[in-house]
Amino acid sequence: MSHATKEGTFGYLKKFGNYSKDFYRFNGELFFPSLGIGTYKAEPYKEDNYIINYAEAIKMALRHGINFIDTAINYRYQMSEREIAEALNEMFKEGDIKREEVIIASKAGFIPLDFPFPDNPYGWIQDTIINTGLADKDEIVIDQHCMSPNFLRWSCEQSLRNLEIDTIDIFFLHNPETQLGYVNQETFYSRIEDAFNLFEELRKENKIVSYGIAAWNGFLYEEDHTEYVSLAKVVEIARRVGGENHGFKYIQSPFNLAKPHAYGYANQKCEDSLFYPLMHACAKFGLTYIGSSPLLQKNLFKRAFSPNVAELMQTSELNDVASALQFARSAGGICAVFGAVDPAHVIDNAVLAYLPEASIESVNTLMRGAYAV
């Protein structure tokens, strides 16, 4: 098989029968771990982005029951995807893992540049994107974001080359709300529709299995905010483009102790004309919710957690990182994606696989109280 399957992901989880029975979740198509590993690293212009390597962390994750890998073409100028390929190829060759056991998600929308960082990034955009017809200049927003179908197709096919795989399991349109404020609502949703038309073509070509939107704040803002994105409108576009069997199946957005809006802020109107938090709206529309940034890029830990956090999350024997991850994976999303470069951190986080998720009552209690002291 050239992509993740129900049978493959089920076979994978059976290798970890000593884990808590709720560590893996099924969305009707695949078995997901409740913790996934991501490959984003902030401050991309710093030198350490060139010398780190995610390969060992990816291999450690796969050896410890974490078979959901999240990346994007623009992460570290395409190097994150290439290092995932390095890890996977080694494990495939050694027979440690099969392709159908691993769920791989990537994203397109941001202009990725390429490693090493070009001397003239604007020249790179002109030569690689504009002069080749992948996008017109007015389709590129603030020199970094583009949703033209030709550019998105190129991004997908480049990601396949970087990852050295035939098919991407989940292909996300990356932070489309970046364009709002620069283009009007009509243009924005028209570009979403063009992107979804392309994604349906890519499904038919077996280059992707499903697609979704990975947003930052777009789905979390109040309805009248400039960058607000309506999930109902996006679902309507998917149905119009792909029919009832469309491939739009996933939403990814931040969910953590400091940014719990996806669970607690009712801002998305559904077909019953009522407003629901994003996670609940996803469930109403039959979409799978994946939580990103469970540690808020480590910004959660600028102050120590209140002792009641560990008590509520059943992580008293662990640390604040474990408490934050426990919260992020316990609210209703299928998976919370953490970043880790150090394999030792992967092992530390995988300890949560032995614990049951926190009760929804505990999550609600923590939502109402302070987590830091």
Side-chain angles (χ1 to χ4, degrees), residues 90-98:
E90 181 179 328
M91 295 189 75
F92 290 156
K93 183 177 180 180
E94 294 177 356
D96 294 335
I97 199 80
K98 299 175 183 176

Side-chain angles (χ1 to χ4, degrees), residues 257-258 299-310 312 320 323 366-373:
L257 280 162
N299 288 314
L300 282 179
F301 311 111
K302 292 181 177 179
R303 293 181 294 164
F305 283 12
S306 170
N308 75 314
V309 175
L312 287 166
D320 285 351
S323 296
L366 197 49
M367 289 273 291
R368 293 191 293 266
Y371 73 89
V373 295

